[in-house]
Amino acid sequence: LLYNDKKDVPPVIETETGPTYKLQKARLGMRRVRPWVWAPFTNPARTDNVSFSHWRRVADEGKEYPFAKFNKKIEIPKYTDIEYKEHLVSETWTQEETDRLFDMCEWFDLRFIIIQARWNLGEYENTVKRSIEDLKDRYYSVCNTLTKIRGGSVNESKMYDAEHETRRKQQLERLYSRTPKQIEEEQMLIQEMRKIEARKRDRDRKTQDLQKLISAVDKQNDSRKSLKIDKKTTHHRKRVTVPVRPTRVDPNNFEATTIKFPDIKNSGVSTRSQRMKMPANVSQKKVKNVEQALESLKIKLNPIPTEDI
């Protein structure tokens, strides 16, 4: 009972910690209590004007029932027979069914699950059976048509795709109806996929590390060659210009001159920016040459990966 937020150890001996619940007294005011009366009332949300009674303050006499403001009614659009014949005729729905649908929508405040459960009850037992998607599709299509013919804006229209909703529920039903064996097999496949991705990342990382080592060795060899040339020039005290022979490259042999970018063959979605990444097996010297060529042509190093680029 003496434990507090500071997580101190409770004492073994009783201690006084100030005023406790035993010492506190109720603080009663000296004002007079407001009078209450047992009075009848009517709820304006009801249409039968039935009267009930409850305790109410005398000062609140004549005021509206306070809980009536929570009775929110949904505005269901109405249509005339002329509007129905000109714009709302359907091959799968009759006017009587449409009228009954809108009456039930107003009665049950667009609770389509209740509407569908009561659609074939009583005298309507032999009517055409409708699913929740059929009821929603008919209701929203009529509302959108009425909004359009009455000059409403496009933002007021309500979008509903019955086919998409049906497929979504079918997929959920398949998902929930899986057996434990199927769930275990799916988890095993997911783990195998993660292992494959991890091995691929390790392979790419090792390839990059190897490329860095190769580029570092190339730089060391270049620096050693430059040092040897400098020593020879200082020893003979004269500069010898070594003509560099231009490499002969066959213009028809594109495999020797171009960079082979990896093909994106993975299943699923891929971005164009992945195709523009420089392969890991390209040397740093060639990468710098490509960057210098792009800068000389005034082209960005990482342009927006559109289809043309």
Side-chain angles (χ1 to χ4, degrees):
L1 293 175
L2 297 176
Y3 184 80
N4 53 19
D5 295 336
K6 296 181 180 179
K7 298 181 180 181
D8 295 334
V9 179
V12 179
I13 305 173
E14 294 184 0
T15 55
E16 293 291 338
T17 57
T20 60
Y21 66 94
K22 291 183 178 180
L23 302 178
Q24 291 179 356
K25 296 182 179 180
R27 298 177 182 178
L28 301 177
M30 303 303 294
R31 293 181 300 174
R32 188 177 180 181
V33 179
R34 292 173 292 183
W36 292 67
V37 294
W38 181 260
F41 73 97
T42 57
N43 189 353
R46 299 176 65 100
T47 57
D48 52 2
N49 293 324
V50 66
S51 178
F52 299 98
S53 298
H54 66 167
W55 286 101
R56 182 177 61 190
R57 296 191 185 121
V58 176
D60 295 338
E61 187 176 359
K63 293 184 179 181
E64 187 181 3
Y65 183 58
F67 294 97
K69 61 183 178 180
F70 297 107
N71 184 46
K72 302 296 182 181
K73 299 293 292 183
I74 300 175
E75 295 183 1
I76 306 298
K78 303 291 184 181
Y79 54 85
T80 60
D81 294 338
I82 299 174
E83 289 177 337
Y84 186 90
K85 292 178 182 178
E86 291 181 356
H87 305 283
L88 304 176
V89 176
S90 175
E91 296 179 356
T92 56
W93 284 78
T94 62
Q95 185 174 0
E96 290 77 11
E97 289 179 328
T98 307
D99 295 342
R100 181 166 172 255
L101 173 62
F102 273 73
D103 291 339
M104 295 181 74
C105 288
E106 185 176 5
W107 191 12
F108 296 112
D109 291 334
L110 295 180
R111 295 180 176 91
F112 287 98
I113 297 177
I114 302 176
I115 294 171
Q116 194 272 337
R118 294 172 178 258
W119 185 256
N120 295 103
L121 291 181
E123 57 181 339
Y124 302 100
E125 185 178 359
N126 296 325
T127 55
V128 181
K129 293 185 178 180
R130 305 286 184 180
S131 63
I132 298 176
E133 289 76 20
D134 296 335
L135 299 174
K136 286 185 177 182
D137 187 34
R138 179 59 176 168
Y139 173 77
Y140 289 120
S141 62
V142 171
C143 292
N144 293 336
T145 305
L146 291 175
T147 302
K148 184 178 180 181
I149 63 177
R150 291 174 183 175
S153 62
V154 181
N155 297 328
E156 295 179 2
S157 60
K158 303 173 180 64
M159 301 299 297
Y160 182 76
D161 190 353
E163 295 181 358
H164 173 75
E165 191 70 13
T166 304
R167 291 195 303 269
R168 184 184 69 83
K169 290 186 177 180
Q170 290 175 354
Q171 291 172 357
L172 283 176
E173 187 175 358
R174 292 175 183 173
L175 182 65
Y176 288 128
S177 61
R178 292 179 302 169
T179 61
K181 185 177 180 181
Q182 291 175 343
I183 297 174
E184 184 179 358
E185 183 179 359
E186 182 181 358
Q187 294 296 330
M188 183 181 66
L189 291 175
I190 292 173
Q191 291 178 2
E192 290 295 330
M193 184 185 67
R194 290 175 179 173
K195 290 180 182 178
I196 292 172
E197 291 178 352
R199 286 197 295 267
K200 183 181 177 182
R201 287 194 297 268
D202 293 340
R203 187 169 59 251
D204 294 340
R205 182 173 52 81
K206 290 179 181 178
T207 304
Q208 292 178 359
D209 294 341
L210 181 61
Q211 186 63 39
K212 289 180 181 178
L213 291 174
I214 293 173
S215 60
V217 171
D218 292 340
K219 288 181 180 179
Q220 290 180 0
N221 293 332
D222 294 340
S223 61
R224 289 176 181 176
K225 289 180 181 179
S226 61
L227 288 174
K228 287 181 180 179
I229 293 172
D230 293 338
K231 287 180 179 179
K232 288 181 180 180
T233 53
T234 53
H235 181 71
H236 295 286
R237 293 183 180 180
K238 61 181 179 178
R239 205 168 200 171
V240 179
T241 58
V242 180
V244 180
R245 295 183 180 180
T247 59
R248 296 180 180 179
V249 180
D250 188 3
N252 296 322
N253 188 9
F254 291 102
E255 294 182 356
T257 57
T258 58
I259 300 172
K260 292 183 180 180
F261 287 88
D263 295 334
I264 306 298
K265 296 182 179 179
N266 296 331
S267 61
V269 180
S270 62
T271 57
R272 293 194 186 100
S273 59
Q274 294 178 354
R275 305 177 187 175
M276 297 175 61
K277 289 183 179 179
M278 194 66 69
N281 56 356
V282 180
S283 62
Q284 295 293 329
K285 187 182 296 183
K286 187 175 288 187
V287 172
K288 290 181 179 180
N289 292 335
V290 171
E291 291 178 356
Q292 291 177 0
L294 291 175
E295 290 178 357
S296 63
L297 296 173
K298 296 181 180 180
I299 299 175
K300 296 181 179 179
L301 298 179
N302 294 316
I304 300 175
T306 59
E307 189 174 0
D308 298 333
I309 291 178

